[in-house]
Amino acid sequence: MEKINVVIGVIGADVHAVGNRIIDYAFSQAGFNVINLGVMVSQKEFMDAAIETNAKAIIVSSLYGHGELDCRGMGDMLKEAGLEDVLLYIGGNLVVGKSDFSEVEKLFKSMGFNRVYPPGADINQGIEDLKNDLKEKGIYA
Amino acid sequence: MEKINVVIGVIGADVHAVGNRIIDYAFSQAGFNVINLGVMVSQKEFMDAAIETNAKAIIVSSLYGHGELDCRGMGDMLKEAGLEDVLLYIGGNLVVGKSDFSEVEKLFKSMGFNRVYPPGADINQGIEDLKNDLKEKGIYA
Amino acid sequence: MYNRKIPLDEFLKQREEVLNQWSTGKEVNLEEAIEYQKSIEESKRFSSKLASAIVNKETLIQPRAGVALPNEHLKLLKYLQDEGGADLLPTTIDSYTRHNRYTEAQTGIDESVRTGKSLLNGFPAVNHGVQVCRSIVSSLNVPVQVRHGTPDARLLAEITLAGGFTSYEGGGISYNIPYGKNYSLEKTITDWQYVDRLVGYYEEKGVTINREPFGPLTGTLVPACISHSVAILESLLAAEQGCKCITVGYGQCGNQVQDIAAIRTLEQLTKEYLNRFGFSDVKVSTVFHQWMGGFPQDEAKAYAVISWGASTAVLAGATKVIVKSPHEAFGVPTAEANANGLKTTKQLTSMLKDQVFTETSEIKAEMNIIEQETRSIMEATLKLGENNFGLSAVRAFESGLIDVPFAPALCNAGKMLPARDNNGAIRIYEFGNLPFDESIKDFHRKKLQERAEVERRQVSFQMVIDDIYAVSKGRLVGRPNKGNV
Amino acid sequence: MYNRKIPLDEFLKQREEVLNQWSTGKEVNLEEAIEYQKSIEESKRFSSKLASAIVNKETLIQPRAGVALPNEHLKLLKYLQDEGGADLLPTTIDSYTRHNRYTEAQTGIDESVRTGKSLLNGFPAVNHGVQVCRSIVSSLNVPVQVRHGTPDARLLAEITLAGGFTSYEGGGISYNIPYGKNYSLEKTITDWQYVDRLVGYYEEKGVTINREPFGPLTGTLVPACISHSVAILESLLAAEQGCKCITVGYGQCGNQVQDIAAIRTLEQLTKEYLNRFGFSDVKVSTVFHQWMGGFPQDEAKAYAVISWGASTAVLAGATKVIVKSPHEAFGVPTAEANANGLKTTKQLTSMLKDQVFTETSEIKAEMNIIEQETRSIMEATLKLGENNFGLSAVRAFESGLIDVPFAPALCNAGKMLPARDNNGAIRIYEFGNLPFDESIKDFHRKKLQERAEVERRQVSFQMVIDDIYAVSKGRLVGRPNKGNV
Ligand code: B12
Ligand code: B12
């Protein structure tokens, strides 16, 4: 069976590169084909890469606190481009400051993200969830 | 002028001796004649010493947390013995655990203490207050 | 005071009296208790856990904790175990029980039930009795120790050892001098010989109970040579009664060189004296107490003091460290605050575990002076005692050969006064009757003179007071004008 | 890239362009700014405070802090000064400004006004302009520094120096490699030569601005020789443009021996290279950054990490320490959390100030290896550059002579991989093109082999990952099964 493509990257003007390296490694180890856009990735770059590679998921990281400003409209943009089937995940330190995560989750879900993870979330949880979500969509055996 | 007598001591089964040594030193330096009963002093010992030395104040310390149990009835006892004019101060770590001091103060005032001090209170504040209270009573020039 | 293992018949006779001191005494059946102790898994025994910590070069962490009521107490200990990650657990006994005031302890229990909060500063184990102790200890996954401060701790020992505790803190000197006023040292040593004999009895039957003299004493500027001498004497007294597993302790002074030197010499000297008197089969481990003096009120600052103690404990190679909480300056900590102190400490014991730390020339010099001082005191003390360690101790205190600063006990001379030198190490400014030769005394005088010159003032009681307050005010050395020197 | 002080006319010509990059540029009047700087009291100048810390053997404490709106920002800094006891203050710049995205920064400001909370991760000084900066800096009692991560920081420098800041962090390498992706190193070095020239201009007029290359780089397992080489190159570049007061930095690795050795060699080597090129009149001080990698989420554990950094900073003799907060793992700290980190740190800098700490043989050995490594890199680097430090740097990165682990910048080779040895010191497991001779390489291999044997596994990328997570999971070395080794 061919490997499933996932696009990963760190959004906005964010340069936190360490987690990105590990996410790349972990998804690859888990059998995915990773298209890693690295840091400082714009919404459009995520979208273009997903279209180009026919990716089944976009895994966004945002560490530096500007996640809210950087992600606005991303869900809509993908929908408009006909990518509503592409799973959209996000994790990291999404907002400025220590805050109530359930609020943050609500906020990002309202922006079109399928799953939202709190600071320091275990990346293996993300992989597990992705496999399940793909299974539900009948993509992953 | 003759020095004013004050009785000091640590009440109950409490053996915290360090603060007591310093209180002795500080009150002596401030010009008082200190009758130091040391640690593990009972209510009755405080009273007897005050009567015997015609003390104008009793300075109780309680550090170990049993202050509430140890001090019950102390105000009444002094009143019954006709010592209502003797100033009764207490300081230290009066109750078990970190707690709202205003509650603690109320509790000990209701037990007959004239002044109640929070953990780590500056002993010089106590000396200042005593001088003022004595002045008000016309005892201290 | 005995100068040999208490003969079995005398011991058993005394037991009857002891068990009659409070109604719960009759719950104790020694042979059944030994069987019960034997049923406790190795992983829950103090002696085993300490032994493997020594092998693994780990520093175990242990809190203080105790509340009035059994259910609350168990909940507290479980929390410290699960959330705090405590390697070893305590049961801190309340102050009424410590003074054998069981009736007042009962009032405390009743009031605590009535008001729904613990009005006692610890767990009144005697009043609760053997079965309650067992139900607590057996519900936990790590070894549990009795920690108290009880001059006459015979009944408490009977009940708690039958109750499944595998370690017992205290000693005839260390639980008298800092913890009482009028207790005769002769009496407390004799009473503690009973406790040690009881532990020795368990040992004879194949059950090892760990014994831990209380190292920090008054916790206030205690020079290492003083606490070392007490630790060694109590180790000898315990070994004489048949104890085979002893943890000697020391309270952090704050100067790292001195603290590391202290833990290393404590272990060496204790072993040396035990060997000398034929107790070479005793297993010796060490405990480092995080700062035992007045704490800063601010919690962030308290965390700093806790951390400094944690890292020094590891670098000194202590077998375990007793942990303070960020509530220390205020009162008995909540479970959360207590667990926080543990977590801070665990982070450091883990992070530092893998680091090597060698003896610098400063540490060697400090070890050298502590050894000289301790040997001076010990030799002079042993000479007084006619081959009776207890008598040696009593006479040493009488004559001020051993003198604990700021102790409440009237049998302590109280003539010695300590102060910090310019590097924050604890030195001695009034020697009282400490049996030091002039070269040692000159060393102390020189060190304090150095500081006096820097601060442009005389060594005086005001300097001592400044030192007592220093840590709580954010310094180690109590300088006259904060920040100026 | 210049290989000499930028000629005045070229500099002034470039200034015009720079000041045109955003509307607030026109607020800057250089001669007036110099007069303004001269009016600032000595006690509020970075250079003076650092100089007296060196004399007094003190370690100053400084937080990171910045929010979107001026009033809130001033309130925050005042709180850190008064409640936290900060000796030095920062103004951390937001990430949009760092990337010269002033329009997005403006959106962030507007949104912050609208929502009443700071939506920016720092203070957008360019958008706020000169007068707002002055009103903030002049309302504080301690010196204030600009801290950022801006590859092209020319306009920011113009505005903030005119705005009364007396210290400016960053450099053409250290604010490119960890902070950008596509920036050309040639360009960022040239832009930072402008910044240094501006500082040099102030210096010519009698105003000393402190300059601080960013030491920790990616903050993630960076070997000291790498960050030292960058610090030395940026010091040379700055000195060449006329900077006279430089603070070189280093991010804590966690192994105390290595950290102490790193700070000591950093100071020595920087001075050595400055002297060699004729810049012996530059004042060098050091900054130690508390752990810059992933933090534990638990606040009690975070306090332990903060404390360990604080005590190491003092024992290493760093001139200042940059402080983390117990919120580090979550997000930009509240004022309270930030002040708590400061208070923890201050307690330790004060308590440890008076303690002596000598060079142990381990520290000397570690200093020796760091010196060898750094000299290897520096000599190879300087050879490449045809007497142009900037060119040396560019070519060194191109060829991987200098290689920063986990850096986002595409101009960084990224072939070198670090891992911890069995004592937690950072060693190198893939050398990439580092110009080390075999004896150095063997040393690293031997050290890592030691660990591999203890853990019974190969040195591998999994080991590196384990090391990256280790501190946040309560360890220093990322062992395969926590607690088992
Ligand atoms: C040193 C110490 C000990 C030593 C005491 C040695 C000795 N014999 O003196 C040892 C180790 C023996 C000890 C034992 C115990 N301690 Co203790 N001890 C401390 C500690 C760390 C410092 C006390 C001290 O010396 N401070 C320095 C002096 C100068 O300050 P001070 O005592 O507070 O006194 C000053 C002020 O309170 C004030 N003050 C006092 N009285 C008055 C009165 C007036 C009118 C005024 C104005 C001011 C005033 O002025 C004094 C001089 O500046 C405190 C915690 C802390 N503060 O950090 C705990 C503490 C007091 N101990 C405590 C407890 C529980 C115990 C024990 C029961 C159990 C245990 N943990 O082992 C036993 C009790 C024994 C007994 N029966 O009393 C608790 C009390 C808990 C509570 N109230 O909720 C504390 C607060 C620790 C804690 N957080 O759990 N302790
Ligand atoms: C190292 C670090 C840096 C380094 C980064 C080097 C580099 N280029 O990579 C440097 C020093 C350069 C840096 C700079 C800055 N940083 Co920074 N940094 C950190 C730090 C300490 C560790 C980050 C890290 O590497 N962790 C280790 C990796 C493995 O974990 P991770 O990044 O969290 O990623 C994991 C998880 O988040 C998760 N995850 C991530 N994405 C996703 C997605 C999904 C779907 C899932 C399931 C999981 C997942 O899995 C990853 C792998 O395990 C964090 C705080 C912390 N965590 O302790 C701050 C932190 C992220 N930084 C912060 C800030 C503000 C900055 C700066 C703006 C300012 C500054 N302080 O200097 C600049 C920003 C520069 C920029 N434009 O981005 C803030 C963010 C604040 C906020 N969100 O409120 C933090 C939280 C610190 C703080 N408390 O203030 N930083």
Side-chain angles (χ1 to χ4, degrees), chain D residues 57 118 161 220 242 248 265 365 401 415 467:
Chain D
K57 299 208 161 109
S118 178
L161 297 191
T220 305
V248 279
T265 50
L401 293 184
K415 288 191 184 138
D467 285 349

PDB file of all heavy atoms in Angstrom, chain D residues 57 118 161 220 242 248 265 365 401 415 467:
ATOM      1  N   LYS D  57      31.611  41.547  42.262  1.00  0.00           N
ATOM      2  CA  LYS D  57      31.423  40.105  42.116  1.00  0.00           C
ATOM      3  C   LYS D  57      29.973  39.695  42.335  1.00  0.00           C
ATOM      4  O   LYS D  57      29.668  38.713  43.011  1.00  0.00           O
ATOM      5  CB  LYS D  57      32.330  39.351  43.088  1.00  0.00           C
ATOM      6  CG  LYS D  57      33.797  39.626  42.832  1.00  0.00           C
ATOM      7  CD  LYS D  57      34.662  38.453  43.277  1.00  0.00           C
ATOM      8  CE  LYS D  57      36.023  38.486  42.635  1.00  0.00           C
ATOM      9  NZ  LYS D  57      37.106  38.812  43.561  1.00  0.00           N
ATOM     10  N   SER D 118      -3.088  41.283  25.387  1.00  0.00           N
ATOM     11  CA  SER D 118      -1.997  41.401  24.431  1.00  0.00           C
ATOM     12  C   SER D 118      -2.008  40.231  23.475  1.00  0.00           C
ATOM     13  O   SER D 118      -1.812  39.086  23.861  1.00  0.00           O
ATOM     14  CB  SER D 118      -0.647  41.449  25.154  1.00  0.00           C
ATOM     15  OG  SER D 118       0.392  41.528  24.197  1.00  0.00           O
ATOM     16  N   LEU D 161      17.397  53.149  20.376  1.00  0.00           N
ATOM     17  CA  LEU D 161      18.517  53.877  20.977  1.00  0.00           C
ATOM     18  C   LEU D 161      18.159  55.346  21.133  1.00  0.00           C
ATOM     19  O   LEU D 161      18.430  55.956  22.169  1.00  0.00           O
ATOM     20  CB  LEU D 161      19.800  53.693  20.156  1.00  0.00           C
ATOM     21  CG  LEU D 161      20.320  52.252  20.078  1.00  0.00           C
ATOM     22  CD1 LEU D 161      21.717  52.209  19.478  1.00  0.00           C
ATOM     23  CD2 LEU D 161      20.317  51.568  21.440  1.00  0.00           C
ATOM     24  N   THR D 220      18.988  24.514  22.262  1.00  0.00           N
ATOM     25  CA  THR D 220      18.727  23.084  22.295  1.00  0.00           C
ATOM     26  C   THR D 220      20.007  22.296  22.055  1.00  0.00           C
ATOM     27  O   THR D 220      20.436  22.129  20.909  1.00  0.00           O
ATOM     28  CB  THR D 220      17.661  22.744  21.235  1.00  0.00           C
ATOM     29  OG1 THR D 220      16.508  23.572  21.478  1.00  0.00           O
ATOM     30  CG2 THR D 220      17.234  21.296  21.321  1.00  0.00           C
ATOM     31  N   GLY D 242      33.267  49.834  16.391  1.00  0.00           N
ATOM     32  CA  GLY D 242      33.428  50.840  17.434  1.00  0.00           C
ATOM     33  C   GLY D 242      32.677  50.580  18.735  1.00  0.00           C
ATOM     34  O   GLY D 242      32.631  51.447  19.599  1.00  0.00           O
ATOM     35  N   VAL D 248      29.000  38.795  26.351  1.00  0.00           N
ATOM     36  CA  VAL D 248      28.862  37.542  25.601  1.00  0.00           C
ATOM     37  C   VAL D 248      28.057  36.535  26.417  1.00  0.00           C
ATOM     38  O   VAL D 248      28.142  36.490  27.639  1.00  0.00           O
ATOM     39  CB  VAL D 248      30.237  36.946  25.215  1.00  0.00           C
ATOM     40  CG1 VAL D 248      30.771  37.635  23.970  1.00  0.00           C
ATOM     41  CG2 VAL D 248      31.240  37.035  26.350  1.00  0.00           C
ATOM     42  N   THR D 265      35.530  30.019  30.035  1.00  0.00           N
ATOM     43  CA  THR D 265      36.261  30.051  28.764  1.00  0.00           C
ATOM     44  C   THR D 265      35.672  31.106  27.832  1.00  0.00           C
ATOM     45  O   THR D 265      36.397  31.714  27.044  1.00  0.00           O
ATOM     46  CB  THR D 265      36.216  28.687  28.050  1.00  0.00           C
ATOM     47  OG1 THR D 265      34.860  28.241  27.989  1.00  0.00           O
ATOM     48  CG2 THR D 265      37.030  27.658  28.812  1.00  0.00           C
ATOM     49  N   ALA D 365      39.577  20.421  33.186  1.00  0.00           N
ATOM     50  CA  ALA D 365      39.606  19.525  32.021  1.00  0.00           C
ATOM     51  C   ALA D 365      38.561  19.967  31.007  1.00  0.00           C
ATOM     52  O   ALA D 365      38.806  19.985  29.789  1.00  0.00           O
ATOM     53  CB  ALA D 365      39.354  18.089  32.465  1.00  0.00           C
ATOM     54  N   LEU D 401      31.801  24.535   9.102  1.00  0.00           N
ATOM     55  CA  LEU D 401      32.803  24.626  10.177  1.00  0.00           C
ATOM     56  C   LEU D 401      32.121  25.043  11.477  1.00  0.00           C
ATOM     57  O   LEU D 401      32.526  24.672  12.564  1.00  0.00           O
ATOM     58  CB  LEU D 401      33.872  25.671   9.840  1.00  0.00           C
ATOM     59  CG  LEU D 401      34.807  25.410   8.667  1.00  0.00           C
ATOM     60  CD1 LEU D 401      35.840  26.530   8.578  1.00  0.00           C
ATOM     61  CD2 LEU D 401      35.515  24.077   8.874  1.00  0.00           C
ATOM     62  N   LYS D 415      24.288  19.494   9.875  1.00  0.00           N
ATOM     63  CA  LYS D 415      24.796  18.119   9.814  1.00  0.00           C
ATOM     64  C   LYS D 415      25.315  17.639  11.152  1.00  0.00           C
ATOM     65  O   LYS D 415      25.479  16.444  11.365  1.00  0.00           O
ATOM     66  CB  LYS D 415      25.942  18.051   8.790  1.00  0.00           C
ATOM     67  CG  LYS D 415      25.436  18.158   7.362  1.00  0.00           C
ATOM     68  CD  LYS D 415      26.535  17.817   6.374  1.00  0.00           C
ATOM     69  CE  LYS D 415      26.044  18.019   4.949  1.00  0.00           C
ATOM     70  NZ  LYS D 415      27.069  18.661   4.108  1.00  0.00           N
ATOM     71  N   ASP D 467      17.052  13.163  24.737  1.00  0.00           N
ATOM     72  CA  ASP D 467      17.739  14.265  25.420  1.00  0.00           C
ATOM     73  C   ASP D 467      16.964  15.569  25.286  1.00  0.00           C
ATOM     74  O   ASP D 467      16.959  16.391  26.209  1.00  0.00           O
ATOM     75  CB  ASP D 467      19.156  14.452  24.852  1.00  0.00           C
ATOM     76  CG  ASP D 467      20.110  13.380  25.342  1.00  0.00           C
ATOM     77  OD1 ASP D 467      19.742  12.634  26.273  1.00  0.00           O
ATOM     78  OD2 ASP D 467      21.225  13.286  24.799  1.00  0.00           O
TER      79      ASP D 467
END
